[in-house]
Amino acid sequence: MTTRDVTGQADITKMKVEKDGSFKRLDASFRNSIAPGTKFEAAADRYHLYVSLACPWATRTLIVRKLKGLEDFISVSVVSPRMGGNGWPFANIDPFPGADADTVNNAAHVKDLYLGVQPDYTGRFTVPVLWDKKHKTIVNNESSEIIRLFNTAFNHLLPADKAALDFYPEELRSQIDELNEWIYPNINNGVYRAGFATTQEAYLPAVNDVFNALDKVEKILEGKDYLVGNKLTEADIRLWVTIIRFDPVYVGHFKCNFRTIRDGYPAIDLWLRKLYWNNDAFKSSTNFDHIKTHYYWSHGSINPTKVVPAGPLPVIRPL
């Protein structure tokens, strides 16, 4: 274990912003693939996924894992939502309901995984982490890449019905990519750009980007169940994890309060609720206690009292 000070990487309250007060997200560092004939090949019970139920990026991977029927191939550990000075803790450090101990590496915090494989690692200790139990190392920590690995890398080992599911189909890739190109910076990361801004000058353009993009999504979803091609794709999964957190967290905590989803965007709200109530991969991957606790408890620079709001009521409306 390293003896150097890594609190700047682990403690979100010490996260640095740009000189103008704006928030810039760093790129992921581990970007390996799972493919035949490589160091990382598909196999049952070889890989392990470390996630936070609070984290939208990690939730993407849980949804695709469930949709593709990969539960027997990829085991999961859930961290506590209460991120402190050492970053994401496991249940042996913080036994929050629904959190797990790390039965694979016996780590106390997610940072231990990173430093165990790369002692000089200088990035943030983020989730999700896709872990290889065979080589005892991190395969990938970029959620957008992990969901594509889950989409295809295990197909030859899956039942035909699960192998046939394709959330990034060839014929729709250009449309999916086009959506991702503006939804990610303006909505997925846009809420963070607004919420973590430390100056009015950085906040205002960020929050306007969020709602301009939501207005655009609303028009796309009018009369439709899905964003692209009248079928569920990764575009829906990537956007949904942000929208499900919008009213409970981003409206208040991240100051994205022009409108709520439930009262301001009827098409987005219906799309959100249909996926939640009609598809267990979405509902079972969502834990509102973890979501609200993490944001309001962990971000001391935004909410120093750590008081977690009781609302909205209901947290998601029925269909």
Side-chain angles (χ1 to χ4, degrees):
M1 185 60 62
T2 184
T3 58
R4 65 187 177 88
D5 183 7
V6 295
T7 55
Q9 298 164 249
D11 190 344
I12 198 167
T13 66
K14 297 182 179 180
M15 180 181 62
K16 295 179 180 179
V17 296
E18 302 299 303
K19 290 181 179 179
D20 64 355
S22 62
F23 167 69
K24 299 287 193 300
R25 186 177 297 277
L26 300 176
D27 291 335
S29 301
F30 296 87
R31 313 290 286 269
N32 299 296
S33 294
I34 297 174
T38 68
K39 179 179 179 180
F40 304 110
E41 296 190 271
D45 197 31
R46 174 171 171 175
Y47 297 98
H48 190 76
L49 188 64
Y50 292 99
V51 300
S52 164
L53 297 178
C55 172
W57 323 109
T59 302
R60 294 174 173 182
T61 65
L62 286 176
I63 291 171
V64 179
R65 172 181 173 268
K66 179 89 172 188
L67 289 169
K68 290 290 292 189
L70 291 170
E71 293 95 328
D72 292 336
F73 290 80
I74 303 159
S75 51
V76 170
S77 292
V78 176
V79 299
S80 166
R82 293 188 290 213
M83 176 191 281
N86 288 303
W88 296 109
F90 290 99
N92 53 309
I93 299 299
D94 183 19
F96 191 90
D100 300 319
D102 176 18
T103 57
V104 175
N105 291 291
N106 297 313
H109 297 87
V110 168
K111 72 172 184 175
D112 301 332
L113 304 172
Y114 283 84
L115 297 175
V117 301
Q118 188 175 325
D120 61 349
Y121 178 74
T122 59
R124 294 197 62 80
F125 306 115
T126 58
V127 288
V129 172
L130 182 60
W131 181 269
D132 177 22
K133 292 185 276 189
K134 178 180 179 180
H135 291 297
K136 296 180 173 58
T137 193
I138 297 172
V139 180
N140 200 299
N141 69 336
E142 170 50 58
S143 66
S144 64
E145 295 178 2
I146 294 173
I147 64 174
R148 291 188 182 175
L149 294 178
F150 289 0
N151 186 47
T152 59
F154 296 83
N155 279 350
H156 62 292
L157 302 174
L158 292 174
D161 60 330
K162 294 297 186 181
L165 295 173
D166 187 357
F167 303 106
Y168 189 53
E170 183 73 37
E171 69 275 12
L172 298 177
R173 287 182 182 180
S174 62
Q175 296 177 61
I176 293 170
D177 291 344
E178 182 181 352
L179 284 170
N180 289 343
E181 283 176 6
W182 59 266
I183 287 176
Y184 169 76
N186 296 309
I187 299 178
N188 298 134
N189 198 45
V191 294
Y192 287 87
R193 290 169 46 227
F196 285 143
T198 58
T199 65
Q200 198 73 22
E201 291 74 18
Y203 163 73
L204 286 173
V207 74
N208 275 285
D209 286 345
V210 170
F211 285 93
N212 288 337
L214 286 174
D215 292 345
K216 192 173 178 180
V217 169
E218 176 72 8
K219 292 179 180 178
I220 293 172
L221 282 174
E222 286 177 354
K224 296 170 61 179
D225 288 333
Y226 305 107
L227 286 166
V228 180
N230 199 32
K231 65 180 295 185
L232 179 65
T233 70
E234 73 163 44
D236 296 289
I237 297 164
R238 286 171 53 125
L239 175 62
W240 190 90
V241 295
T242 297
I243 301 302
I244 195 67
R245 288 161 174 78
F246 202 89
D247 288 2
V249 173
Y250 301 144
V251 169
H253 187 61
F254 277 175
K255 307 177 186 70
C256 294
N257 61 355
F258 289 10
R259 290 173 289 283
T260 61
I261 298 298
R262 65 187 62 198
D263 294 321
Y265 293 101
I268 297 177
D269 182 57
L270 183 59
W271 164 86
L272 168 79
R273 289 183 289 130
K274 282 183 175 180
L275 286 173
Y276 181 87
W277 292 111
N278 294 337
N279 193 321
D280 186 63
F282 290 81
K283 184 178 180 181
S284 65
S285 302
T286 303
N287 185 310
F288 290 109
D289 286 339
H290 279 234
I291 289 169
K292 294 204 299 181
T293 297
H294 167 63
Y295 285 94
Y296 285 102
W297 191 95
S298 303
H299 300 163
S301 60
I302 301 175
N303 186 39
T305 65
K306 299 182 184 291
V307 173
V308 180
L313 298 176
V315 68
I316 182 170
R317 298 189 300 190
L319 281 173

